[in-house]
Amino acid sequence: MNKMKIIIASNNVGKVREFKQLLAPLGYEAISQSEAGVCISVAETGDTFEKNAALKARAIYKKTGLPVISDDSGLCVDALDGEPGVYSANYDNAWLLERMKDVPADKRTARFVCCICYVNGDGKEHTKFVHGECEGQIAFSEQGENGFGYDPVFLYLDSRQGFKSPVHWQSQQHQSFAEMSADDKNAVSHRGKALREFVQKLEGGW
């Protein structure tokens, strides 16, 4: 039985790698847009994660006519009134740590948010969405060498443990995404949650 082929509407190497890691064990052949011969960059002009995900997925679908999956993800920090949010790609860890330097330990809550847009064809465009979130805290400094983007400053919040102090944060109970293995991160991440829901819905007849 041939695997279903899905194009990943992204030029982000780290994001493409995560999609492939998550979809391959589930029986799907995920290829990047460049592997599909589409070398374009879609401007993310939407003011919501849903709008940006749809812009990218529809653009690649129009070029290929094949099933396309796209996501728009971001980090929403409570102490910054939800920033950087949909504008996460415009900033970096240095910017975030500087903005958060005077924020105390118990006020550093944040979450990664992912919206996945799926576009399928059969002669007519069908667009569907799933969402995933992962709660955590912003670290006081970068930790770890894995992952990408804000992973080194995002400490995963294990619901069985509470953050008590900066020293407690550095324990192995609260690793940053960049300190976790790919499998461990994918098991709890916003993108992992959204992708598993996506596959469940796809297999349910989407």
Side-chain angles (χ1 to χ4, degrees):
M1 181 178 178
N2 293 329
K3 293 183 178 180
M4 177 179 174
K5 183 178 291 186
I6 300 177
I7 299 174
I8 307 165
S10 178
N11 291 313
N12 184 308
V13 175
K15 188 176 291 188
V16 167
R17 181 176 62 249
E18 283 195 357
F19 271 118
K20 289 186 175 186
Q21 289 170 340
L22 287 159
L23 288 171
L26 300 173
Y28 296 90
E29 181 186 358
I31 64 172
S32 67
Q33 64 179 62
S34 60
E35 289 173 318
V38 181
C39 298
I40 62 173
S41 180
V42 180
E44 299 180 14
T45 57
D47 57 3
T48 66
F49 293 115
E50 290 84 359
K51 290 178 181 177
N52 282 332
L55 284 170
K56 292 181 283 188
R58 288 168 177 158
I60 303 304
Y61 172 76
K62 288 176 181 178
K63 291 285 187 180
T64 65
L66 296 174
V68 177
I69 186 172
S70 173
D71 89 317
D72 193 46
S73 302
L75 180 65
C76 300
V77 181
D78 292 325
L80 302 181
D81 295 324
E83 291 185 358
V86 295
Y87 306 107
S88 293
N90 297 337
Y91 302 97
D92 59 16
N93 293 326
W95 171 88
L96 179 59
L97 291 174
E98 175 63 23
R99 292 285 303 276
M100 295 288 288
K101 65 182 181 181
D102 296 323
V103 179
D106 61 345
K107 302 295 184 182
R108 300 177 76 90
T109 52
R111 67 205 46 81
F112 268 125
V113 177
C114 173
C115 174
I116 286 179
C117 177
Y118 174 61
V119 178
N120 200 2
D122 298 329
K124 184 178 180 180
E125 180 183 301
H126 301 283
T127 305
K128 302 178 185 295
F129 299 92
V130 293
H131 302 81
E133 293 190 8
C134 182
E135 296 290 333
Q137 302 264 3
I138 303 303
F140 286 96
S141 61
E142 293 189 33
Q143 299 175 203
E145 303 295 331
N146 301 323
F148 62 99
Y150 295 102
D151 285 356
V153 297
F154 182 82
L155 300 180
Y156 170 60
L157 174 57
D158 186 333
S159 61
R160 297 169 298 178
Q161 303 286 339
F163 289 111
K164 300 174 183 177
S165 69
V167 173
H168 183 68
W169 290 15
Q170 307 305 319
S171 74
Q172 291 301 307
Q173 294 171 329
H174 299 99
Q175 294 178 309
S176 76
F177 266 6
E179 292 176 302
M180 299 169 71
S181 69
D183 287 343
D184 286 346
K185 176 186 172 183
N186 290 339
V188 299
S189 75
H190 52 307
R191 190 169 294 111
K193 292 175 182 177
L195 269 174
R196 284 188 288 276
E197 182 180 349
F198 161 70
V199 170
Q200 184 179 34
K201 289 182 178 295
L202 195 63
E203 294 181 338
W206 246 17

